[in-house]
């Protein structure tokens, strides 16, 4: 939908109708590509947005044209007041969705349904229990696996995200796709992205082309169906003929989708980020607590948004380690 309010339109004419709100910096898993081994310095609780502040800020964005809000983290479901947050946000005229590792989502089925949440993105990086344990540093594979089935049975629209890492889970690409044979889910392969402390390098990344090489080596051209991508979609979508589900590739590194980007991010400590890759942040929470209008700050942040990946417009620039350490770890941004 076209946003007619200039506050959320950037200097390249991109309308920002999608806000991702991180609710918490903590997580019940320890995925190595997401957080540094030594952990992250957590903000004091008083620096994090309360549920009232989340609601107030979200409402301002919605008034200015945001039509979709995704809750993320850290792990959004471990925040104690998540039922109240869902209830508060469900009173706004937005599509509400959530990204979760699904370890404890079985406890929130009613809360999600009662508050109109339909789309749920679940992270799952391996179908092998031992490998799951290795990447997440926690033994929770079964819960996640069972909860994915539960979410499908309960009628949610489920997308499952796997970050592909060369030599770790690229040999599971075809198993992941076969997982969609009887399950009506979208399985999405995410190119491994660089953030502070996640030991990224280009050699570890499995690209869009790599995935398609695996797919073409297993399935015939006739079996591989290219699907229509949704507007502002970050992924290229496919399905295997006859399968109930589909699969997709999110190529943020090799082929970013910045031209149609409609996303803004609010961190759990109330900082607005105009791009996942941008290290600059705008402090909405301090202004809100001081009783100031946050709209001018939002407008300035949106205007400052760069054309491609927070200025990392080439793969060479993306490989500059200094740029990763200037940004936060993914766990404190909210993916
Ligand atoms: N705890 C929730 C979860 O596990 O989905 C939400 C937060 S997590 C940071 C959100 C998403 O970011 C996950 O799908 C995760 O795979 C993705 N992610 C984290 N680090 C990443 C990286 N370095 N490259 C690509 N995706 C990453």
């Amino acid at each position: 939908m076209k946003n007619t309010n200039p506050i959320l339109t950037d200097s390249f004419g991109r309308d920002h109708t999608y806000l991702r709100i991180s609710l918490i910096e903590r997580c019940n898993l320890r995925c190595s590509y997401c957080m540094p081994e030594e952990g992250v310095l957590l903000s004091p609780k008083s620096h994090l947005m309360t549920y009232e502040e989340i609601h107030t800020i979200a409402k301002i964005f919605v008034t200015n044209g945001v039509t979709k809000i995704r809750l993320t983290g850290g792990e959004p479901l471990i925040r104690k007041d998540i039922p109240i947050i869902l209830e508060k946000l469900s009173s706004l005229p937005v599509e509400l969705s959530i990204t979760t590792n699904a370890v404890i989502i079985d406890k929130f089925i009613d809360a999600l349904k009662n508050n109109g949440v339909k789309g749920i993105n679940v992270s799952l990086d391996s179908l092998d229990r031992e490998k799951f344990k290795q990447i997440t540093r926690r033994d929770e594979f079964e819960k996640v696996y069972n909860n994915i089935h539960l979410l499908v049975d309960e009628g949610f629209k489920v997308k499952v995200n796997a970050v592909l890492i060369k030599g770790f889970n690229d040999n599971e690409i075809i198993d992941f796709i076969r997982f969609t044979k009887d399950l009506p889910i979208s399985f999405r392969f995410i190119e491994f992205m660089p953030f502070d402390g996640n030991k990224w390098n280009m050699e570890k990344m499995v690209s869009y082309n790599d995935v398609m090489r695996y797919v073409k080596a297993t399935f015939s051209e006739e079996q591989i169906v290219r699907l229509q991508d949704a507007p502002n979609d970050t992924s290229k979508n496919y399905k295997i003929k006859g399968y109930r589900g589909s699969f997709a590739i999110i190529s943020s590194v090799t082929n970013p989708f910045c031209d149609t980007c409609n996303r803004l991010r609010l961190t759990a400590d109330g900082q607005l980020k105009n791009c996942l890759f941008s290290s600059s942040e705008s402090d909405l929470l301090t202004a809100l607590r001081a009783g100031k209008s946050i709209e001018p700050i939002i407008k300035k942040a949106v205007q400052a948004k760069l054309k491609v990946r927070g200025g990392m417009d080439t793969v060479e620039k993306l490989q500059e380690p200094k740029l990763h350490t200037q940004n936060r770890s993914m766990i404190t941004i909210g993916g």
Side-chain angles (χ1 to χ4, degrees):
M1 198 171 62
K2 190 81 182 151
N3 174 18
T4 50
N5 194 318
I7 287 184
L8 298 182
T9 304
D10 73 7
S11 60
F12 302 96
R14 293 174 294 200
D15 289 331
H16 294 80
T17 53
Y18 184 2
L19 180 66
R20 301 171 79 109
I21 306 179
S22 174
L23 300 183
I24 190 164
E25 295 171 346
R26 288 181 298 116
C27 189
N28 45 354
L29 298 181
R30 294 282 178 277
C31 302
S32 56
Y33 55 77
C34 186
M35 67 184 291
E37 210 169 341
E38 65 279 13
V40 286
L41 200 61
L42 296 172
S43 304
K45 197 159 180 245
S46 61
H47 291 200
L48 302 182
M49 295 183 291
T50 63
Y51 69 80
E52 289 101 337
E53 288 163 341
I54 292 171
H55 177 246
T56 304
I57 295 176
K59 200 167 156 193
I60 291 166
F61 276 94
V62 172
T63 308
N64 283 289
V66 159
T67 56
K68 188 172 171 186
I69 291 179
R70 175 173 295 281
L71 303 179
T72 180
E75 173 48 40
L77 295 178
I78 64 170
R79 194 167 151 150
K80 294 275 182 297
D81 55 359
I82 180 75
I84 308 173
I85 294 172
L86 288 171
E87 199 184 312
K88 284 263 181 198
L89 295 181
S90 72
S91 69
L92 302 174
V94 278
E95 182 189 329
L96 192 58
S97 55
I98 191 162
T99 296
T100 169
N101 58 38
V103 172
I104 55 168
I105 204 166
D106 48 306
K107 299 184 175 64
F108 296 96
I109 300 295
D110 288 343
L112 293 164
K113 277 190 177 174
N114 294 342
N115 292 300
V117 178
K118 294 193 176 66
I120 300 186
N121 289 5
V122 177
S123 303
L124 175 70
D125 303 305
S126 179
L127 289 167
D128 176 287
R129 183 178 165 181
E130 279 311 309
K131 276 165 79 175
F132 179 96
K133 200 165 137 188
Q134 194 185 328
I135 193 96
T136 64
R137 302 172 185 134
R138 296 289 183 272
D139 192 8
E140 302 285 18
F141 172 75
E142 247 163 74
K143 280 192 198 150
V144 176
Y145 187 83
N146 292 339
N147 279 341
I148 289 173
H149 287 85
L150 174 70
L151 290 172
V152 170
D153 292 344
E154 292 288 346
F156 290 101
K157 190 167 167 263
V158 181
K159 292 179 181 170
V160 178
N161 295 331
V163 176
L164 291 177
I165 300 174
K166 206 162 266 177
F168 175 71
N169 58 358
D170 49 345
N171 61 349
E172 290 191 69
I173 290 171
I174 300 304
D175 294 340
F176 288 137
I177 293 176
R178 293 207 166 110
F179 190 47
T180 69
K181 184 165 189 266
D182 299 315
L183 265 191
I185 57 170
S186 166
F187 202 102
R188 308 192 312 164
F189 302 109
I190 309 180
E191 287 181 350
F192 181 29
M193 297 182 272
F195 295 100
D196 189 26
N198 75 355
K199 301 196 176 119
W200 180 88
N201 72 53
M202 200 66 182
E203 280 71 50
K204 288 187 193 165
M205 194 206 56
V206 181
S207 69
Y208 172 88
N209 287 339
D210 294 334
V211 174
M212 288 314 290
R213 256 194 303 278
Y214 277 100
V215 175
K216 287 176 182 165
T218 308
F219 301 102
S220 69
E221 221 167 274
E222 212 183 66
Q223 285 176 297
I224 307 165
V225 183
R226 177 77 167 95
L227 302 173
Q228 178 79 44
D229 304 326
N232 304 106
D233 210 335
T234 54
S235 56
K236 296 185 183 66
N237 293 267
Y238 293 85
K239 77 180 283 160
I240 300 300
K241 223 179 232 171
Y243 281 21
R244 293 186 71 198
S246 57
F247 69 95
I249 307 163
I250 302 179
S251 54
S252 325
V253 176
T254 62
N255 190 9
F257 28 81
C258 305
D259 283 352
T260 56
C261 182
N262 64 345
R263 293 161 169 74
L264 294 170
R265 290 181 150 82
L266 184 61
T267 62
D269 58 340
Q271 307 295 309
L272 181 65
K273 283 180 84 75
N274 62 17
C275 171
L276 183 58
F277 289 101
S278 170
S279 54
S280 67
E281 301 179 348
S282 305
D283 188 353
L284 301 189
L285 187 57
T286 302
L288 185 81
R289 287 182 178 175
K292 294 186 188 147
S293 167
I294 62 168
E295 284 176 332
I297 306 172
I298 297 172
K299 183 172 181 179
K300 201 169 162 202
V302 171
Q303 283 303 309
K305 179 159 171 158
L306 297 174
K307 193 164 190 284
V308 177
R309 249 180 346 219
M312 289 188 262
D313 50 355
T314 61
V315 171
E316 286 69 37
K317 281 192 197 159
L318 203 63
Q319 292 182 69
E320 181 62 58
K322 188 173 94 235
L323 294 172
H324 315 159
T325 49
Q326 280 167 357
N327 200 355
R328 298 176 179 225
S329 296
M330 184 63 139
I331 189 164
T332 62
I333 299 176

